[in-house]
Amino acid sequence: MRNIIVRFRSRTRQGVRWELLMSVLRAYCFSMGNSERKDSMIVQSVDRAVAVLEFLLRQGEAGITEIAAELGVHKSTASRLVYTLQSKGLVEQDG
């Protein structure tokens, strides 16, 4: 099985979308603070997608297996999350 590498798309190709994403991530991180609290208002799929983006922000790039391990989800779930983020132009895959 080949290793698929996932990374943020280049800032130069994303322009405004990148700036919007970074604003959303900063607001999310600020609202979560250090407590990492979860409540009934959090949508799990959105929370997981943001977790993928945060992980890629820290790592630079990662494989599906690494993303799945970081999130504590099955590889098929991580793959679907990445596919969705890719379809919106937020990440890109090699492989």
Side-chain angles (χ1 to χ4, degrees):
M1 185 173 145
R2 63 190 172 143
N3 189 25
I4 297 174
I5 302 299
V6 182
R7 71 178 66 79
F8 274 114
R9 290 197 60 184
S10 168
R11 184 176 186 171
T12 58
R13 287 185 285 183
Q14 287 302 97
V16 172
R17 185 176 284 182
W18 175 264
E19 295 302 326
L20 176 61
L21 172 63
M22 295 310 297
S23 295
V24 168
L25 280 175
R26 279 192 292 272
Y28 177 82
C29 292
F30 177 77
S31 71
M32 293 304 285
N34 293 327
S35 67
E36 293 288 330
R37 70 176 178 87
K38 304 281 183 187
D39 62 53
S40 62
M41 296 299 293
I42 292 177
V43 177
Q44 186 180 43
S45 58
V46 174
D47 192 51
R48 285 179 174 172
V50 170
V52 169
L53 295 173
E54 289 175 325
F55 183 62
L56 292 175
L57 190 61
R58 289 191 312 271
Q59 297 297 114
E61 62 183 38
I64 296 295
T65 302
E66 295 168 294
I67 293 169
E70 174 71 14
L71 272 61
V73 298
H74 194 274
K75 287 193 303 185
S76 65
T77 301
S79 183
R80 289 192 318 271
L81 286 165
V82 167
Y83 177 82
T84 301
L85 292 169
Q86 183 179 13
S87 74
K88 298 300 180 184
L90 298 173
V91 300
E92 60 186 4
Q93 294 187 61
D94 288 343

XYZ file of all heavy atoms in Angstrom:
750
model
N 0.845 -1.186 0.000
C 0.000 0.000 0.000
C 0.887 1.245 0.000
O 1.813 1.362 0.783
C -0.893 -0.025 1.235
C -1.883 1.091 1.266
S -3.018 0.831 2.649
C -3.298 2.475 3.124
N 0.594 2.176 -0.857
C 1.406 3.386 -0.942
C 1.032 4.377 0.153
O -0.102 4.424 0.611
C 1.267 4.020 -2.310
C -0.132 4.466 -2.604
C -0.298 4.870 -4.038
N -1.712 5.086 -4.239
C -2.220 6.017 -4.988
N -1.438 6.796 -5.666
N -3.501 6.162 -5.105
N 2.009 5.153 0.558
C 1.797 6.156 1.577
C 1.333 7.450 0.924
O 1.986 7.965 0.032
C 3.091 6.384 2.358
C 2.875 7.253 3.570
O 1.779 7.317 4.088
N 3.912 7.905 4.019
N 0.217 7.947 1.355
C -0.330 9.197 0.822
C 0.040 10.312 1.792
O -0.231 10.221 2.978
C -1.856 9.115 0.658
C -2.209 8.036 -0.364
C -2.427 10.463 0.258
C -3.673 7.762 -0.495
N 0.674 11.346 1.290
C 1.074 12.486 2.113
C 0.042 13.596 1.946
O -0.336 13.942 0.833
C 2.464 13.002 1.707
C 3.517 11.894 1.832
C 2.852 14.227 2.522
C 3.694 11.349 3.222
N -0.401 14.144 3.065
C -1.399 15.209 3.066
C -0.748 16.466 3.634
O -0.007 16.409 4.600
C -2.614 14.818 3.936
C -3.677 15.891 3.896
C -3.175 13.473 3.503
N -1.022 17.609 3.016
C -0.496 18.883 3.512
C -1.483 19.989 3.165
O -2.349 19.819 2.326
C 0.871 19.175 2.910
C 0.845 19.545 1.442
C 2.210 19.876 0.875
N 3.110 18.752 0.837
C 3.097 17.787 -0.083
N 2.194 17.814 -1.037
N 3.955 16.813 -0.052
N -1.324 21.139 3.854
C -2.096 22.314 3.473
C -1.752 22.678 2.047
O -0.612 22.514 1.610
C -1.727 23.521 4.364
C -2.487 23.594 5.641
C -1.839 23.430 6.850
C -3.842 23.843 5.635
C -2.534 23.516 8.028
C -4.559 23.928 6.816
C -3.890 23.762 8.016
N -2.697 23.196 1.328
C -2.395 23.717 -0.006
C -1.578 24.981 0.146
O -1.654 25.679 1.141
C -3.675 24.012 -0.769
C -4.374 22.705 -1.135
C -5.378 22.856 -2.187
N -4.768 23.364 -3.411
C -5.464 23.658 -4.475
N -6.756 23.502 -4.489
N -4.870 24.119 -5.549
N -0.822 25.295 -0.868
C 0.064 26.451 -0.849
C -0.710 27.744 -0.621
O -1.762 27.962 -1.212
C 0.811 26.542 -2.188
O 1.458 27.777 -2.298
N -0.156 28.587 0.213
C -0.795 29.873 0.506
C -0.952 30.719 -0.751
O -1.936 31.417 -0.921
C 0.031 30.621 1.548
C -0.601 31.908 1.964
C 0.191 32.565 3.050
N -0.523 33.729 3.520
C -0.186 34.406 4.564
N 0.840 34.064 5.275
N -0.885 35.456 4.928
N 0.023 30.653 -1.636
C -0.057 31.478 -2.838
C -1.203 31.049 -3.740
O -1.782 31.862 -4.431
C 1.261 31.433 -3.634
O 1.556 30.086 -3.983
C 2.398 32.025 -2.826
N -1.545 29.786 -3.715
C -2.656 29.324 -4.545
C -3.996 29.501 -3.853
O -5.036 29.444 -4.493
C -2.462 27.857 -4.906
C -1.360 27.662 -5.924
C -1.288 26.246 -6.336
N -0.679 25.475 -5.265
C -0.423 24.191 -5.323
N -0.718 23.510 -6.397
N 0.138 23.565 -4.324
N -3.997 29.700 -2.564
C -5.246 29.772 -1.824
C -5.706 31.195 -1.535
O -6.890 31.431 -1.410
C -5.122 29.006 -0.505
C -5.120 27.508 -0.688
C -6.347 27.023 -1.374
O -6.339 26.816 -2.568
N -7.423 26.857 -0.666
N -4.780 32.118 -1.366
C -5.133 33.508 -1.132
C -6.116 33.721 0.005
O -5.833 33.415 1.153
N -7.281 34.241 -0.320
C -8.287 34.599 0.667
C -8.761 33.378 1.454
O -8.976 33.469 2.659
C -9.490 35.290 -0.022
C -10.627 35.507 0.949
C -9.043 36.604 -0.644
N -8.898 32.241 0.799
C -9.366 31.038 1.483
C -8.418 30.674 2.623
O -8.828 30.278 3.697
C -9.495 29.876 0.507
C -10.100 28.649 1.153
C -10.307 27.556 0.168
N -11.468 27.866 -0.636
C -11.935 27.089 -1.572
N -11.350 25.960 -1.854
N -12.998 27.422 -2.255
N -7.100 30.790 2.389
C -6.104 30.497 3.423
C -6.274 31.445 4.604
O -6.254 31.027 5.754
C -4.700 30.624 2.832
C -3.624 30.454 3.848
C -2.972 31.432 4.521
C -3.080 29.227 4.331
N -2.046 30.905 5.370
C -2.099 29.551 5.279
C -3.324 27.890 4.043
C -1.362 28.587 5.945
C -2.584 26.935 4.713
C -1.628 27.281 5.649
N -6.440 32.735 4.329
C -6.602 33.720 5.400
C -7.869 33.436 6.208
O -7.861 33.554 7.429
C -6.636 35.139 4.825
C -5.334 35.568 4.181
C -4.145 35.521 5.121
O -4.312 35.796 6.331
O -3.043 35.199 4.655
N -8.937 33.071 5.534
C -10.174 32.732 6.222
C -9.972 31.501 7.105
O -10.389 31.488 8.263
C -11.300 32.471 5.208
C -12.630 32.006 5.783
C -13.208 33.054 6.723
C -13.607 31.695 4.658
N -9.323 30.486 6.564
C -9.059 29.269 7.337
C -8.245 29.580 8.584
O -8.559 29.117 9.678
C -8.325 28.237 6.474
C -7.820 27.005 7.205
C -8.979 26.209 7.782
C -6.990 26.148 6.273
N -7.194 30.375 8.444
C -6.358 30.705 9.588
C -7.148 31.492 10.625
O -6.989 31.277 11.825
C -5.115 31.475 9.143
C -4.177 30.657 8.273
S -3.775 29.034 8.960
C -2.925 29.495 10.453
N -8.036 32.379 10.190
C -8.879 33.124 11.128
C -9.797 32.192 11.896
O -9.971 32.328 13.104
C -9.720 34.162 10.380
O -8.895 35.128 9.802
N -10.368 31.224 11.194
C -11.258 30.251 11.839
C -10.474 29.419 12.845
O -10.933 29.196 13.967
C -11.951 29.351 10.788
C -12.644 28.177 11.440
C -12.936 30.176 9.971
N -9.285 28.947 12.456
C -8.473 28.148 13.370
C -8.067 28.946 14.606
O -8.114 28.429 15.725
C -7.225 27.619 12.668
C -7.420 26.390 11.798
C -6.120 26.051 11.071
C -7.887 25.205 12.612
N -7.674 30.210 14.426
C -7.303 31.036 15.572
C -8.497 31.229 16.505
O -8.364 31.121 17.725
C -6.764 32.385 15.110
C -5.312 32.340 14.673
C -4.735 33.736 14.498
N -5.326 34.430 13.365
C -4.882 34.362 12.126
N -3.848 33.633 11.819
N -5.477 35.042 11.156
N -9.672 31.496 15.943
C -10.875 31.674 16.763
C -11.231 30.390 17.492
O -11.582 30.405 18.672
C -12.044 32.130 15.888
N -11.110 29.264 16.802
C -11.418 27.972 17.416
C -10.460 27.691 18.575
O -10.883 27.324 19.666
C -11.319 26.865 16.369
C -11.538 25.481 16.924
C -12.827 24.998 17.129
C -10.471 24.661 17.247
C -13.035 23.730 17.643
C -10.662 23.390 17.754
C -11.950 22.925 17.946
O -12.147 21.675 18.472
N -9.166 27.878 18.323
C -8.170 27.615 19.367
C -8.367 28.547 20.560
O -8.261 28.124 21.708
C -6.756 27.766 18.812
S -6.340 26.480 17.624
N -8.692 29.813 20.298
C -8.932 30.761 21.370
C -10.153 30.355 22.187
O -10.130 30.383 23.409
C -9.125 32.176 20.809
C -9.441 33.196 21.863
C -8.436 33.687 22.685
C -10.735 33.652 22.038
C -8.727 34.626 23.664
C -11.035 34.580 23.013
C -10.026 35.070 23.830
N -11.219 29.935 21.504
C -12.445 29.581 22.219
C -12.284 28.316 23.046
O -12.900 28.169 24.090
C -13.614 29.419 21.242
O -13.448 28.255 20.465
N -11.417 27.394 22.582
C -11.195 26.161 23.327
C -10.273 26.400 24.518
O -10.344 25.701 25.507
C -10.594 25.077 22.430
C -11.541 24.579 21.347
S -13.101 23.963 21.981
C -12.567 22.403 22.657
N -9.409 27.394 24.406
C -8.483 27.688 25.485
C -7.635 26.474 25.826
O -7.377 25.627 24.993
N -7.220 26.372 27.042
C -6.428 25.239 27.483
C -7.285 24.100 27.994
O -6.793 23.004 28.221
C -5.444 25.664 28.587
C -4.395 26.610 28.053
O -4.005 26.501 26.897
N -3.949 27.522 28.886
N -8.565 24.344 28.188
C -9.417 23.332 28.809
C -9.816 22.214 27.860
O -10.163 21.125 28.305
C -10.686 23.992 29.364
O -11.475 24.486 28.293
N -9.778 22.473 26.527
C -10.203 21.472 25.539
C -11.581 20.908 25.894
O -11.845 19.729 25.717
C -9.182 20.328 25.443
C -7.850 20.717 24.871
C -7.904 20.985 23.378
O -8.729 20.379 22.681
O -7.124 21.827 22.930
N -12.458 21.744 26.396
C -13.763 21.260 26.836
C -14.621 20.833 25.648
O -14.524 21.371 24.567
C -14.486 22.314 27.669
C -14.965 23.513 26.881
C -15.752 24.474 27.772
N -16.147 25.617 27.015
C -17.257 25.693 26.286
N -18.073 24.676 26.233
N -17.554 26.792 25.626
N -15.448 19.848 25.885
C -16.405 19.387 24.886
C -17.798 19.592 25.474
O -18.034 19.373 26.644
C -16.208 17.900 24.569
C -14.831 17.540 24.106
C -14.653 17.886 22.664
C -13.273 17.438 22.217
N -12.954 17.870 20.915
N -18.725 20.004 24.656
C -20.095 20.112 25.132
C -21.045 19.679 24.033
O -20.630 19.347 22.927
C -20.403 21.515 25.665
C -20.268 22.603 24.621
O -20.894 22.471 23.550
O -19.556 23.575 24.869
N -22.314 19.708 24.327
C -23.327 19.190 23.411
C -23.499 20.031 22.153
O -24.159 19.589 21.221
C -24.662 19.065 24.139
O -25.091 20.340 24.576
N -22.915 21.218 22.097
C -23.069 22.077 20.931
C -22.021 21.811 19.850
O -22.126 22.323 18.750
C -23.004 23.554 21.343
C -24.146 23.983 22.250
S -25.771 23.778 21.469
C -25.656 24.998 20.181
N -20.999 21.031 20.157
C -19.933 20.767 19.199
C -20.369 19.696 18.207
O -20.856 18.634 18.585
C -18.637 20.346 19.912
C -18.094 21.538 20.699
C -17.593 19.837 18.931
C -16.864 21.251 21.497
N -20.204 19.973 16.926
C -20.511 19.016 15.868
C -19.257 18.172 15.650
O -18.190 18.691 15.310
C -20.913 19.749 14.561
C -21.170 18.754 13.440
C -22.130 20.628 14.814
N -19.380 16.854 15.862
C -18.229 15.967 15.850
C -17.439 16.019 14.542
O -16.208 16.072 14.553
C -18.664 14.533 16.135
C -17.502 13.573 16.272
C -17.962 12.166 16.564
O -18.912 11.672 15.961
N -17.280 11.528 17.494
N -18.117 16.010 13.406
C -17.402 16.004 12.130
C -16.624 17.301 11.908
O -15.506 17.283 11.391
C -18.354 15.741 10.966
O -19.369 16.717 10.926
N -17.194 18.427 12.326
C -16.492 19.707 12.201
C -15.299 19.719 13.150
O -14.199 20.150 12.779
C -17.433 20.895 12.491
C -16.672 22.210 12.502
C -18.574 20.928 11.491
N -15.489 19.235 14.351
C -14.421 19.159 15.337
C -13.264 18.303 14.813
O -12.096 18.671 14.939
C -14.975 18.596 16.648
C -14.012 18.745 17.805
O -13.513 19.866 18.024
O -13.754 17.735 18.490
N -13.593 17.189 14.202
C -12.559 16.311 13.655
C -11.842 16.948 12.470
O -10.623 16.834 12.339
C -13.166 14.973 13.229
C -13.496 14.075 14.389
C -14.108 12.785 13.913
N -14.298 11.847 15.004
C -14.955 10.716 14.891
N -15.496 10.359 13.723
N -15.086 9.911 15.937
N -12.592 17.627 11.607
C -11.968 18.290 10.454
C -11.000 19.372 10.922
O -9.891 19.499 10.390
C -13.030 18.887 9.537
N -11.386 20.132 11.920
C -10.497 21.154 12.469
C -9.280 20.492 13.109
O -8.164 20.991 12.982
C -11.252 22.065 13.469
C -10.288 22.962 14.234
C -12.293 22.899 12.749
N -9.479 19.348 13.758
C -8.350 18.620 14.358
C -7.353 18.189 13.280
O -6.145 18.244 13.498
C -8.859 17.425 15.153
N -7.850 17.763 12.122
C -6.961 17.408 11.008
C -6.154 18.633 10.592
O -4.930 18.559 10.425
C -7.752 16.851 9.794
C -6.852 16.737 8.574
C -8.385 15.514 10.122
N -6.817 19.761 10.432
C -6.133 20.988 10.016
C -5.113 21.436 11.058
O -4.000 21.847 10.712
C -7.151 22.091 9.736
C -8.095 21.819 8.563
C -9.173 22.897 8.498
C -7.336 21.720 7.256
N -5.464 21.348 12.329
C -4.526 21.708 13.392
C -3.303 20.794 13.361
O -2.167 21.257 13.519
C -5.195 21.620 14.765
C -6.211 22.692 15.038
C -6.932 22.488 16.358
O -7.191 21.336 16.747
O -7.231 23.498 17.006
N -3.534 19.494 13.171
C -2.438 18.525 13.118
C -1.506 18.842 11.949
O -0.288 18.852 12.096
C -3.013 17.105 13.007
C -1.970 16.023 13.013
C -1.136 15.833 14.094
C -1.841 15.183 11.926
C -0.182 14.823 14.103
C -0.894 14.165 11.910
C -0.059 13.992 13.011
N -2.079 19.125 10.788
C -1.267 19.463 9.619
C -0.531 20.786 9.821
O 0.584 20.957 9.327
C -2.124 19.514 8.359
C -2.681 18.170 7.902
C -3.618 18.369 6.714
C -1.567 17.191 7.566
N -1.138 21.698 10.538
C -0.491 22.967 10.840
C 0.760 22.723 11.683
O 1.800 23.333 11.437
C -1.467 23.887 11.583
C -1.080 25.331 11.790
C -0.879 26.036 10.457
C -2.141 26.041 12.603
N 0.668 21.807 12.637
C 1.823 21.482 13.490
C 2.863 20.640 12.754
O 4.055 20.870 12.879
C 1.368 20.721 14.743
C 0.613 21.540 15.755
C 0.435 20.794 17.067
N -0.045 19.441 16.935
C -1.328 19.066 16.906
N -2.269 19.986 16.978
N -1.669 17.797 16.807
N 2.422 19.646 11.988
C 3.317 18.674 11.375
C 3.847 19.103 10.009
O 4.887 18.621 9.583
C 2.603 17.330 11.204
C 2.173 16.670 12.484
C 3.348 16.328 13.359
O 3.491 16.885 14.423
N 4.185 15.423 12.938
N 3.100 19.916 9.310
C 3.472 20.292 7.947
C 2.855 19.342 6.931
O 2.206 19.761 5.996
N 3.067 18.052 7.132
C 2.436 17.031 6.294
C 2.379 15.736 7.082
O 3.133 15.554 8.041
C 3.174 16.844 4.971
C 4.596 16.369 5.098
C 5.280 16.270 3.748
O 5.050 17.133 2.883
O 6.057 15.320 3.571
N 1.473 14.859 6.688
C 1.297 13.594 7.397
C 0.565 12.612 6.496
O -0.124 13.014 5.559
C 0.494 13.809 8.682
N 0.706 11.355 6.795
C -0.027 10.312 6.091
C -1.380 10.070 6.745
O -1.628 10.498 7.872
N -2.233 9.372 6.021
C -3.566 9.048 6.541
C -3.465 8.261 7.847
O -4.208 8.510 8.798
C -4.383 8.243 5.489
C -4.641 9.093 4.232
C -5.700 7.737 6.083
C -5.523 10.298 4.450
N -2.517 7.321 7.919
C -2.341 6.512 9.126
C -1.982 7.395 10.320
O -2.514 7.210 11.421
C -1.257 5.440 8.908
O -1.648 4.629 7.794
C -1.076 4.573 10.126
N -1.099 8.367 10.103
C -0.711 9.288 11.176
C -1.885 10.162 11.615
O -2.075 10.399 12.812
C 0.433 10.188 10.725
C 1.728 9.460 10.444
C 2.718 10.346 9.727
O 2.448 10.723 8.565
O 3.744 10.676 10.352
N -2.640 10.633 10.652
C -3.813 11.461 10.963
C -4.825 10.652 11.758
O -5.357 11.124 12.768
C -4.436 12.044 9.682
C -3.472 13.049 9.034
C -5.784 12.702 9.970
C -3.864 13.489 7.642
N -5.082 9.427 11.325
C -6.035 8.555 12.027
C -5.589 8.316 13.464
O -6.404 8.375 14.397
C -6.194 7.234 11.286
N -4.300 8.042 13.652
C -3.775 7.803 15.001
C -3.922 9.043 15.879
O -4.300 8.946 17.052
C -2.317 7.362 14.923
N -3.616 10.213 15.317
C -3.721 11.460 16.067
C -5.154 11.729 16.522
O -5.389 12.165 17.643
C -3.221 12.624 15.208
C -3.413 13.990 15.816
C -2.508 14.275 17.007
O -1.530 13.542 17.229
O -2.805 15.257 17.724
N -6.119 11.443 15.652
C -7.523 11.697 15.960
C -8.180 10.561 16.738
O -9.261 10.727 17.284
C -8.317 11.948 14.676
C -8.383 13.373 14.172
C -7.032 13.945 13.833
C -9.321 13.482 12.995
N -7.534 9.391 16.735
C -8.132 8.232 17.396
C -9.319 7.678 16.629
O -10.304 7.245 17.220
N -9.214 7.711 15.288
C -10.297 7.216 14.435
C -9.738 6.165 13.480
O -8.526 6.018 13.330
C -10.958 8.357 13.623
C -11.588 9.382 14.557
C -9.980 9.031 12.673
N -10.613 5.433 12.832
C -10.215 4.443 11.827
C -9.652 5.169 10.605
O -10.017 6.314 10.320
C -11.424 3.596 11.432
C -11.056 2.369 10.674
N -10.886 2.381 9.314
C -10.810 1.108 11.090
C -10.552 1.161 8.910
N -10.505 0.372 9.974
N -8.765 4.501 9.877
C -8.159 5.102 8.686
C -9.201 5.508 7.649
O -9.025 6.515 6.961
C -7.133 4.157 8.062
C -5.859 4.049 8.870
C -4.727 3.382 8.136
C -5.052 2.013 7.640
N -3.896 1.327 7.036
N -10.290 4.765 7.538
C -11.319 5.130 6.558
C -11.988 6.461 6.930
O -12.316 7.260 6.059
C -12.368 4.024 6.418
O -13.087 3.851 7.625
N -12.159 6.704 8.224
C -12.727 7.977 8.682
C -11.764 9.115 8.377
O -12.173 10.164 7.859
C -13.034 7.925 10.189
O -13.960 6.854 10.437
C -13.616 9.234 10.697
N -10.487 8.917 8.680
C -9.478 9.939 8.394
C -9.413 10.217 6.895
O -9.307 11.367 6.470
C -8.115 9.498 8.922
N -9.498 9.169 6.099
C -9.458 9.317 4.650
C -10.635 10.138 4.144
O -10.481 11.009 3.283
C -9.442 7.942 3.989
O -9.345 8.062 2.599
N -11.819 9.901 4.677
C -13.002 10.666 4.270
C -12.897 12.127 4.690
O -13.282 13.035 3.947
C -14.279 10.034 4.823
C -14.642 8.724 4.150
C -16.049 8.226 4.471
N -16.449 8.359 5.860
C -16.245 7.436 6.804
N -15.617 6.315 6.513
N -16.665 7.634 8.036
N -12.365 12.364 5.882
C -12.158 13.741 6.334
C -11.196 14.473 5.403
O -11.455 15.602 4.979
C -11.614 13.765 7.766
C -12.612 13.435 8.873
C -11.867 13.130 10.173
C -13.592 14.576 9.066
N -10.086 13.816 5.076
C -9.097 14.423 4.188
C -9.686 14.646 2.800
O -9.478 15.695 2.193
C -7.817 13.558 4.128
C -6.911 13.981 2.979
C -7.078 13.627 5.458
N -10.439 13.677 2.283
C -11.065 13.831 0.971
C -11.979 15.063 0.955
O -11.976 15.846 0.005
C -11.856 12.583 0.596
C -12.582 12.740 -0.712
C -11.921 12.549 -1.915
C -13.918 13.123 -0.746
C -12.576 12.726 -3.128
C -14.586 13.299 -1.941
C -13.913 13.094 -3.135
O -14.561 13.277 -4.325
N -12.748 15.241 2.028
C -13.657 16.390 2.111
C -12.879 17.700 2.149
O -13.220 18.653 1.431
C -14.559 16.274 3.355
O -15.301 15.049 3.273
C -15.526 17.444 3.459
N -11.821 17.744 2.957
C -10.990 18.949 3.016
C -10.315 19.215 1.676
O -10.192 20.358 1.245
C -9.946 18.816 4.133
C -10.507 18.806 5.557
C -9.429 18.402 6.551
C -11.116 20.152 5.910
N -9.920 18.151 0.997
C -9.312 18.294 -0.334
C -10.327 18.813 -1.342
O -10.007 19.682 -2.165
C -8.741 16.967 -0.794
C -8.023 17.060 -2.126
C -7.431 15.732 -2.556
O -7.744 14.683 -2.002
N -6.578 15.763 -3.546
N -11.555 18.330 -1.269
C -12.587 18.771 -2.217
C -12.909 20.252 -2.047
O -13.381 20.899 -2.989
C -13.860 17.932 -2.057
O -14.561 18.290 -0.891
N -12.629 20.802 -0.864
C -12.836 22.226 -0.617
C -11.578 23.044 -0.843
O -11.546 24.241 -0.597
C -13.342 22.445 0.822
C -14.671 21.795 1.106
C -15.739 22.349 0.185
C -17.086 21.721 0.443
N -18.089 22.197 -0.501
N -10.509 22.379 -1.310
C -9.276 23.078 -1.634
C -8.427 23.469 -0.449
O -7.596 24.358 -0.551
N -8.631 22.825 0.709
C -7.890 23.198 1.903
C -6.631 22.378 2.123
O -5.703 22.842 2.790
C -8.804 23.089 3.134
C -10.013 24.021 3.103
C -10.940 23.731 4.264
C -9.562 25.471 3.131
N -6.604 21.158 1.624
C -5.414 20.312 1.724
C -5.164 19.677 0.357
O -6.036 19.686 -0.507
C -5.544 19.203 2.799
C -5.776 19.801 4.189
C -6.652 18.221 2.463
N -3.965 19.128 0.184
C -3.650 18.407 -1.041
C -2.947 17.114 -0.672
O -2.373 17.003 0.394
C -2.798 19.251 -1.986
C -1.469 19.684 -1.419
C -0.726 20.637 -2.340
O -1.273 21.027 -3.382
O 0.396 21.004 -1.994
N -3.051 16.128 -1.559
C -2.451 14.825 -1.329
C -1.471 14.493 -2.434
O -1.711 14.786 -3.599
C -3.521 13.727 -1.306
C -4.483 13.804 -0.147
C -5.386 12.599 -0.099
O -4.896 11.484 0.036
N -6.674 12.813 -0.207
N -0.378 13.850 -2.064
C 0.562 13.252 -3.010
C 0.383 11.744 -2.905
O 0.271 11.220 -1.817
C 2.004 13.588 -2.655
C 2.364 15.039 -2.919
O 1.616 15.695 -3.673
O 3.380 15.495 -2.389
N 0.420 11.096 -4.017
C 0.392 9.637 -3.972
C -0.859 9.032 -4.516
O -1.834 9.569 -4.790
